[in-house]
Amino acid sequence: MPEDREALLQHYRDMRADLLATIEGLTDDQLTEATLDGWSVNDHLVHLAAWDEIRAAEVERLSAGHDSAWRLEPGRDEELSALFHDARLGLSVEQAKWELETSRQRLLDAIAAAPERALEPDRYGEAALRSEHEAQHTGWLRRWRTERNY
């Protein structure tokens, strides 16, 4: 059964609003210090942007009538995440925020334009149509911010 389009769009808007509220007020120095299990907040932002890019491409791909291109064996997503981290390490805070904003808009646009068949969750691989991935990162960032008293 297809996802409810409006509920899915709201899900992604709500998760992003929660993430942005969690990092609001942090300085560039705080955003780039690698004190969150070896990652910086900035690293988390570009990581999430990368997954938005993949997810948007999946929605577009399935909307065009093709199959998922992201069917990974269990655990391989961790390897992919490490590769994303290494590839995007050192991006500026300004670029990280741009990546985050533009990749999310691309995802929202893809979902808004998708035909019903592309909103069927079982058609997706590792880049699931509905994901709690961002909420997980937001929780880690919130915990880190509390621990650091930021």
Side-chain angles (χ1 to χ4, degrees):
M1 173 173 276
E3 285 271 358
D4 177 272
R5 183 185 319 275
E6 288 308 315
L8 186 60
L9 289 167
Q10 193 60 49
H11 167 75
Y12 282 110
R13 287 184 193 113
D14 290 346
M15 278 198 311
R16 184 52 49 89
D18 193 27
L19 172 69
L20 294 176
T22 299
I23 65 168
E24 185 176 351
L26 292 173
T27 67
D28 285 5
D29 286 341
Q30 292 167 329
L31 290 167
T32 56
E33 67 180 54
T35 56
L36 183 56
D37 296 331
W39 281 31
S40 68
V41 173
N42 210 52
D43 294 336
H44 284 265
L45 300 182
V46 296
H47 166 85
L48 291 168
W51 277 103
D52 272 357
E53 290 173 10
I54 290 172
R55 192 165 284 109
E58 276 288 82
V59 174
E60 292 164 352
R61 182 176 293 111
L62 272 72
S63 292
H66 300 294
D67 293 330
S68 170
W70 289 98
R71 300 218 179 253
L72 300 175
E73 295 174 16
R76 300 289 312 266
D77 60 326
E78 295 298 324
E79 294 172 39
L80 191 57
S81 290
L83 183 61
F84 289 158
H85 176 267
D86 293 349
R88 294 177 176 214
L89 191 62
L91 292 181
S92 70
V93 170
E94 179 184 2
Q95 183 172 352
K97 289 179 178 179
W98 179 86
E99 299 279 346
L100 196 68
E101 181 180 337
T102 58
S103 64
R104 178 52 53 95
Q105 190 57 55
R106 182 176 171 204
L107 175 58
L108 295 175
D109 291 347
I111 292 169
E116 287 290 312
R117 72 177 181 277
L119 298 178
E120 296 172 6
D122 60 342
R123 299 188 66 196
Y124 287 80
E126 193 62 40
L129 180 59
R130 179 181 287 268
S131 172
E132 298 295 330
H133 183 212
E134 186 164 329
Q136 183 179 34
H137 281 266
T138 299
W140 294 334
L141 296 174
R142 191 175 289 122
R143 184 197 76 225
W144 167 85
R145 192 168 183 174
T146 300
E147 289 171 357
R148 308 255 334 149
N149 201 27
Y150 289 153

